[in-house]
Amino acid sequence: MGGKESKQCQYEVVVKTIDKKFAGTDDDILLTLINSNGKKSKAFNLDVQYRDDFEEGQRNTFELTEIHDFGSIEKIEITLKRTVIGAICGRKDYWGLEWILIADKVERKIYEFPVNRWMVSGETKRWARYDTSLPQHDTEIDQRKRELVFMRDTYKFHALFPGVTPLLQNLPFEEKFDEDYGSMIHNLLVENEMAAKLISCTTKPFTSLAEMDSVYKYCYSKPAAFDHWRSDSYFGRLQLTGGNPTRLRLCTKIPEYFGVTKDMVKPSMKDLTLEKAIQEKRLFISDYADLENVSNLHAPICLYYVNDAEDLVPVAIQLRHTKSPTNPVFVPSDPEYTWIIAKLWFGVVDSNYHEICAHLSFTHYILETITIAIHRHLSPSHPLSRLVKPHIEKVLNTNWLGRKLLLDPESGYFEKSYKAGADGASKLIKHTLSNWSFKKNGMLPNDLKERGLFDPKILPKFYYRDDGILIWNAIRSYVYRVAENFYDSQEEIENDNELHLFRHTLTKSVESGGCGLKDVPGDDNAGITDLEQIVDIFTTIIFISSAYHAAINFPTYEQCAFTPNFPVNLRGSIPNNKKPRTELDVIRTLPTKDDTLKIMTLTRALSTFKSSSLGNFDVQYMYNRACVDALKEFRTELKKVAGTIDQRNRLRTVSYTVLHPDNIPNTTAI
């Protein structure tokens, strides 16, 4: 019987239950071994008397007696059998099985069986060693097909925003947070809200900019922007190393609707003409023309110039897309507070786009629809599924909770704290998701090239680009090493029906039950045709979930918690003239003290980092030797990248740390 001590015991079994809510079971667990000749052992009841086994997160060890010299163990068979009490009550139980390791203590061998599945009472399932195979090589193909049918019934699409990228219809219980993680999120929000209430009761309303210092105490540190926000170079730095480095592009022509002239910018550009600055690639633009009439936000334009100190500085701002006496072009030589207010009204659109589009839409929602497609079409045994699983962990639950937190039309943060409001945010999400391109927006090198920013000689202080490319290349090499081990011929790619169904779902229209994504690598008729396309797709998924999300999300508190720096909301109306303003005008334009505290509460929660760093996984999914070796090489490469970034930061005037490998989580969960 399993669990009894025996000197002759040759095989020791270690069982790991998934560390999630409801993963534990009281059912009996029967284990059968199958060797390389197909011979089956007896079914061992894994049980130790008076011990409560198989609870969530537990590792339980058992010894198998009455079996010796069984040979190489190639498969295991697991049966989840209801106990007598469970059978009498008619109760079905569930069990989340992470892995089983079997140690042959005589031959000194370890047999690894990563399962990463949930089972229900009465089920019997088999898994091969490593459980990593393409569908055409799976000897348990019928079980695999049944499993995918179940997954498609469990993970269903729902068009939250009709006509564009669908999200999850219902959250499966398998996706719920584990107790520790859920408690961490709850405690963090409670801590933030309690501190904000205490600050609100013990401080006065703002009557000057200096008084805004009073709210930064308890768990709220003073953002770095507090001492630098007035600086135009700091304003320009937000486009390069802030949370929204995705809008700036090389200016090759002044738009017709932009009323800037050479005389306006002459004081800022040391007599360099606009034409000469364009020719020398020193002029850049952030233009929100694509948001015109999309929501209640205006559509501003900001022109930037790289000065002789290689700093990016704003030289002209127009707040609407119409040349008009009541829509002036603001410049740094305007009265101090007039220029500050113009920067605020550009910044409020930039910050709303940052949170609603660059962050929520282009990381969380793009990953959500891809994650659903992965669950529906790539078996958990598929090597690409195992490759990407650590990077889509908690994506669905995080997004599920975030919908109400952010988008609720009455109590959500977008309605309470953001200029767009809940309705405006929904319109922005729908608009930007419908225009998102996998190749142009999702793949970092292509995104930079499309914006004219790939060349490192352009914008010398664009650290998001410089460090991001290092991370992109490291991820791509890792994905390539894993993929080439399984796709060693064109035939292997052609015969992988799961891979082709996955890509087809990504590109298929929302109305036809797909994700509706544009420009996914591959061919709409032939599907995926070569290894490079596979590598591009999965590199992009991992990069978005890790590095891109880190760069977009984690600077949020430092940027937004001091509202004059990167305001998410403003009061009053857009200025229509350049008359001198005062500090009091700025205070009346900024959010109130209590609204500022709401912003601080949200942004501190968003910016909290308590996850394992890139390449260091809480759950190991890949045990295949080639995959393990690829992961080791990935970690080695990330250490080299870390050393390069450390060296760069020692030479930089301002350190950029959000894309240091130690600061990049594997996934979008905080």
Side-chain angles (χ1 to χ4, degrees):
M1 176 115 181
K4 292 182 180 179
E5 294 292 335
S6 172
K7 292 181 180 179
Q8 292 77 35
C9 176
Q10 181 175 348
Y11 298 100
E12 184 177 81
V13 178
V14 184
V15 181
K16 173 68 162 56
T17 299
I18 290 173
D19 190 10
K20 282 189 177 181
K21 196 172 184 179
F22 309 124
T25 185
D26 293 322
D27 278 0
D28 289 334
I29 308 299
L30 305 183
L31 168 68
T32 301
L33 310 183
I34 304 172
N35 69 15
S36 55
N37 296 319
K39 180 183 176 182
K40 295 177 66 173
S41 73
K42 62 171 285 188
F44 294 94
N45 185 1
L46 301 182
D47 176 61
V48 173
Q49 197 170 14
Y50 307 123
R51 194 175 77 183
D52 192 11
D53 297 317
F54 312 119
E55 296 305 311
E56 60 188 70
Q58 275 189 2
R59 297 186 186 197
N60 302 119
T61 302
F62 307 89
E63 292 188 335
L64 305 184
T65 58
E66 304 174 24
I67 180 170
H68 301 280
D69 303 323
F70 190 67
S72 178
I73 302 170
E74 296 301 315
K75 289 185 179 181
I76 57 171
E77 184 176 278
I78 296 290
T79 298
L80 192 61
K81 182 181 178 182
R82 278 191 291 185
T83 60
V84 174
I85 295 175
I88 293 173
C89 297
R91 178 181 59 83
K92 284 191 173 183
D93 204 357
Y94 293 86
W95 183 38
L97 172 57
E98 186 171 325
W99 48 253
I100 291 180
L101 302 183
I102 302 173
D104 183 335
K105 295 189 287 185
V106 173
E107 298 295 332
R108 296 183 180 275
K109 288 184 179 179
I110 301 291
Y111 298 94
E112 303 97 334
F113 295 89
V115 177
N116 309 106
R117 310 288 213 289
W118 291 70
M119 295 182 66
V120 64
S121 296
E123 280 190 328
T124 296
K125 291 188 176 182
R126 286 185 180 184
W127 291 286
R129 188 179 181 188
Y130 306 134
D131 187 42
T132 307
S133 70
L134 299 179
Q136 58 265 38
H137 301 303
D138 197 333
T139 57
E140 301 294 336
I141 190 63
D142 290 337
Q143 174 179 293
R144 185 170 180 141
K145 289 178 178 178
R146 288 193 301 270
E147 188 171 47
L148 282 172
V149 169
F150 173 80
M151 296 293 276
R152 284 193 283 274
D153 191 54
T154 303
Y155 292 85
K156 293 183 178 180
F157 288 119
H158 169 63
L160 182 64
F161 307 100
V164 298
T165 308
L167 304 177
L168 187 66
Q169 184 179 78
N170 292 298
L171 184 71
F173 78 88
E174 297 95 330
E175 297 291 338
K176 294 184 184 295
F177 290 142
D178 62 76
E179 293 284 1
D180 290 343
Y181 188 84
S183 296
M184 185 273 288
I185 297 292
H186 173 76
N187 293 339
L188 176 63
L189 291 172
V190 169
E191 178 188 26
N192 289 356
E193 290 171 0
M194 292 293 289
K197 289 178 181 178
L198 186 58
I199 294 168
S200 179
C201 294
T202 57
T203 55
K204 298 178 180 179
F206 302 140
T207 58
S208 70
L209 292 167
E211 289 177 355
M212 297 184 75
D213 178 70
S214 63
V215 298
Y216 302 109
K217 52 187 175 182
Y218 309 128
C219 63
Y220 294 105
S221 60
K222 185 191 295 185
F226 189 90
D227 297 319
H228 306 287
W229 70 278
R230 292 175 185 263
S231 163
D232 283 348
S233 62
Y234 196 84
F235 184 85
R237 196 185 306 160
L238 292 176
Q239 300 293 314
L240 304 178
T241 58
N244 190 20
T246 64
R247 289 293 303 192
L248 191 73
R249 60 178 54 244
L250 183 68
C251 182
T252 57
K253 181 182 178 181
I254 301 297
E256 293 182 359
Y257 45 78
F258 195 5
V260 65
T261 66
K262 62 180 181 180
D263 292 334
M264 292 179 183
V265 298
K266 186 176 181 179
S268 301
M269 295 172 55
K270 292 190 175 180
D271 297 328
L272 192 68
T273 64
L274 291 171
E275 292 77 11
K276 186 67 172 174
I278 289 173
Q279 183 181 351
E280 294 182 3
K281 297 184 177 181
R282 296 176 67 178
L283 211 60
F284 301 84
I285 193 167
S286 182
D287 184 357
Y288 281 99
D290 56 311
L291 301 190
E292 185 80 22
N293 300 319
V294 170
S295 70
N296 58 326
L297 295 177
H298 53 289
I301 319 165
C302 186
L303 192 67
Y304 296 87
Y305 168 70
V306 175
N307 62 23
D308 292 342
E310 297 184 336
D311 289 325
L312 184 73
V313 294
V315 294
I317 294 174
Q318 184 176 295
L319 297 175
R320 295 187 185 277
H321 270 70
T322 308
K323 289 183 180 179
S324 165
T326 58
N327 185 36
V329 175
F330 297 89
V331 294
S333 56
D334 288 337
E336 178 186 6
Y337 290 110
T338 301
W339 176 237
I340 284 175
I341 288 176
K343 289 195 291 183
L344 291 178
W345 282 100
F346 174 82
V348 75
V349 175
D350 207 33
S351 65
N352 275 248
Y353 180 89
H354 156 252
E355 185 56 43
I356 297 167
C357 305
H359 181 202
L360 183 62
S361 298
F362 299 160
T363 60
H364 289 271
Y365 287 169
I366 289 294
L367 283 173
E368 180 170 342
T369 199
I370 291 173
T371 297
I372 298 168
I374 288 170
H375 284 306
R376 289 174 63 84
H377 296 297
L378 294 183
S379 163
S381 302
H382 199 291
L384 295 176
S385 174
R386 289 198 171 275
L387 168 71
V388 81
K389 275 293 177 65
H391 307 284
I392 58 175
E393 282 285 316
K394 301 185 176 76
V395 164
L396 298 179
N397 202 350
T398 299
N399 290 5
W400 189 263
L401 295 178
R403 291 222 237 295
K404 182 173 179 60
L405 184 70
L406 297 174
L407 287 168
D408 188 277
E410 295 181 358
S411 62
Y413 272 99
F414 287 154
E415 183 64 26
K416 293 188 301 182
S417 301
Y418 279 70
K419 187 67 176 175
D423 182 64
S426 296
K427 290 176 179 176
L428 284 172
I429 291 168
K430 183 174 181 179
H431 172 75
T432 52
L433 282 179
S434 66
N435 289 288
W436 189 84
S437 162
F438 200 103
K439 286 183 180 178
K440 293 179 182 177
N441 304 117
M443 298 175 65
L444 178 65
N446 293 350
D447 169 58
L448 294 170
K449 290 172 185 176
E450 195 275 332
R451 293 191 284 140
L453 306 179
F454 186 76
D455 186 350
K457 296 177 183 177
I458 297 173
L459 283 175
K461 296 182 180 180
F462 194 14
Y463 305 147
Y464 165 76
R465 170 198 61 205
D466 301 339
D467 295 355
I469 287 293
L470 293 179
I471 299 295
W472 171 273
N473 290 339
I475 293 172
R476 198 176 195 284
S477 295
Y478 168 51
V479 173
Y480 193 95
R481 291 188 194 104
V482 172
E484 70 173 346
N485 183 64
F486 296 93
Y487 299 100
D488 56 2
S489 69
Q490 186 67 25
E491 185 179 19
E492 295 289 23
I493 297 174
E494 292 173 357
N495 291 337
D496 188 347
N497 64 299
E498 291 180 5
L499 179 65
H500 294 299
L501 280 171
F502 168 63
R503 186 201 175 272
H504 180 62
T505 297
L506 293 184
T507 60
K508 190 166 58 174
S509 71
V510 176
E511 293 76 14
S512 301
C515 302
L517 298 182
K518 298 178 180 178
D519 305 323
V520 178
D523 182 86
D524 288 342
N525 294 318
I528 293 175
T529 58
D530 61 50
L531 183 61
E532 294 296 323
Q533 294 166 358
I534 296 172
V535 174
D536 283 343
I537 290 172
F538 286 88
T539 297
T540 301
I541 295 170
I542 294 174
F543 182 82
I544 290 174
S545 66
S546 57
Y548 176 81
H549 180 260
I552 298 297
N553 179 63
F554 291 115
T556 303
Y557 179 81
E558 291 297 327
Q559 285 185 179
C560 300
F562 182 61
T563 56
N565 181 63
F566 203 52
V568 303
N569 204 352
L570 293 175
R571 294 180 289 168
S573 56
I574 299 170
N576 59 12
N577 61 70
K578 299 174 66 167
K579 71 179 183 181
R581 265 71 171 188
T582 65
E583 182 177 338
L584 185 58
D585 290 322
V586 174
I587 292 295
R588 289 171 176 167
T589 300
L590 292 169
T592 64
K593 181 193 72 173
D594 286 340
D595 286 338
T596 296
L597 289 169
K598 292 176 186 175
I599 295 164
M600 291 164 55
T601 298
L602 174 66
T603 56
R604 182 175 183 266
L606 291 175
S607 301
T608 300
F609 175 25
K610 292 190 177 181
S611 301
S612 299
S613 60
L614 184 60
N616 298 295
F617 306 140
D618 296 329
V619 175
Q620 183 174 342
Y621 288 91
M622 299 190 300
Y623 286 78
N624 173 284
R625 179 51 51 194
C627 296
V628 170
D629 289 344
L631 181 57
K632 287 180 180 177
E633 290 184 50
F634 181 43
R635 289 169 176 164
T636 299
E637 183 62 28
L638 288 175
K639 288 181 180 179
K640 294 178 182 177
V641 170
T644 299
I645 293 175
D646 287 338
Q647 179 62 25
R648 287 176 173 179
N649 280 330
R650 284 191 283 271
L651 301 175
R652 290 167 173 168
T653 54
V654 178
S655 292
Y656 183 63
T657 59
V658 293
L659 286 182
H660 191 288
D662 292 347
N663 298 329
I664 301 174
N666 290 296
T667 184
T668 56
I670 62 174

